[in-house]
Amino acid sequence: MLFVTFVVLLFSQNTRAGAKAANVYHKIETDNSEKKIALTFDDGPHPRITREIISILKEYGVTATFFVIGQNADNYPDTMKLLSESGYEIGNHTYSHKNLKKMSEDEVVEEFRRCNETLLKFGVEPNLMRPPEGFFTDDVIKVSSTMEYDIILWSIDTRDWAHTPSECIVKNVLENAKSGDIILMHDYLSGYGGTCEALRIIIPELAHRGFEFVTVSELIGENA
Ligand SMILES: [Zn+2]
């Protein structure tokens, strides 16, 4: 009996030590008839844009996922509080948004740990992470596995970060949107951003086509 207990303990230790490798998603495979899609917003919170996006989402009654930079959450705590209380999904987008490819494993750990710690102050316990600019390495996968994060990339890049005119953002999304897509947008932009203007066209049009807006975790959950 003691021996059996020992083997069971050993086995459970091994499963813990060898935590399941983080999944990396660009999109989620769904049945086309499901028509589920996820809007994602990176780099916030921003004191003006994040609030405007929250009010647009509320106006249309749709949900979304925000990948927050820890430093911005610390800089704009009131907006971060509003975001955390809004009930939208929040993911870890590192503390200072540096290129993870140029970092040691310890530095990568620190970037995610500090962001996680900041989000916890706002009552958020993220399950998802998105590496800045989508750059990830084996270290990023290792850290994500340990922290039990899924790595979320995207299947449609609106290029709003490059000050793309709103009509081009709209055209890109409406011509390409399919069930299971993860759409990349930003709620922190310097200078012109067509994001909010584009959302006011994209959301009602996709809803009209029968799409349901879900968080990334909801998209994964039902189709993993
Ligand atoms: Zn980013």
Side-chain angles (χ1 to χ4, degrees):
M1 193 60 198
L2 265 177
F3 175 73
V4 172
T5 313
F6 176 71
V7 170
V8 168
L9 272 175
L10 197 68
F11 182 72
S12 62
Q13 285 292 337
N14 277 345
T15 14
R16 262 205 301 282
K20 151 179 111 60
N23 294 306
V24 181
Y25 294 105
H26 286 87
K27 63 172 291 170
I28 311 300
E29 292 309 322
T30 72
D31 189 305
N32 270 340
S33 62
E34 283 190 44
K35 289 201 166 179
K36 288 191 171 147
I37 204 156
L39 294 171
T40 65
F41 300 97
D42 286 13
D43 298 357
H46 182 285
R48 179 177 55 80
I49 307 171
T50 305
R51 285 170 185 271
E52 195 175 340
I53 289 176
I54 290 173
S55 76
I56 295 171
L57 296 174
K58 288 209 165 126
E59 188 183 325
Y60 292 101
V62 299
T63 194
T65 303
F66 290 77
F67 288 94
V68 161
I69 297 177
Q71 207 165 43
N72 287 341
D74 275 339
N75 287 341
Y76 305 108
D78 291 347
T79 309
M80 185 60 221
K81 190 165 176 284
L82 179 78
L83 181 61
S84 67
E85 287 169 354
S86 68
Y88 302 126
E89 180 162 44
I90 294 171
N92 186 326
H93 197 38
T94 72
Y95 190 77
S96 54
H97 205 262
K98 290 181 186 131
N99 185 346
L100 301 178
K101 275 188 167 175
K102 295 182 177 163
M103 289 186 178
S104 68
E105 186 182 340
D106 285 351
E107 288 169 327
V108 172
V109 169
E110 197 56 10
E111 276 292 319
F112 286 107
R113 192 197 59 74
R114 281 187 76 193
C115 181
N116 200 66
E117 204 175 87
T118 303
L119 292 178
L120 281 176
K121 285 192 290 191
F122 293 92
V124 175
E125 285 184 67
N127 300 315
L128 311 174
M129 65 78 84
R130 176 174 275 164
E133 295 175 50
F135 292 142
F136 67 99
T137 58
D138 287 348
D139 283 342
V140 174
I141 295 180
K142 203 162 138 191
V143 172
S144 302
S145 305
T146 309
M147 294 180 83
E148 298 186 346
Y149 286 140
D150 280 328
I151 300 175
I152 310 301
L153 302 172
W154 54 85
S155 50
I156 297 180
D157 179 359
T158 62
R159 294 183 55 84
D160 60 345
W161 50 270
H163 313 299
T164 304
S166 61
E167 58 270 27
C168 299
I169 296 176
V170 169
K171 191 169 180 281
N172 179 9
V173 174
L174 295 184
E175 281 180 3
N176 295 300
K178 283 183 285 304
S179 187
D181 271 327
I182 297 171
I183 301 176
L184 171 67
M185 300 181 113
H186 291 79
D187 62 326
Y188 196 112
L189 295 160
S190 49
Y192 169 81
T195 316
C196 293
E197 219 178 307
L199 277 176
R200 291 189 176 280
I201 301 171
I202 291 167
I203 296 174
E205 175 54 28
L206 290 182
H208 175 72
R209 292 186 195 174
F211 278 94
E212 184 192 344
F213 294 89
V214 294
T215 63
V216 171
S217 283
E218 283 167 342
L219 200 56
I220 296 170
E222 292 167 22
N223 299 283

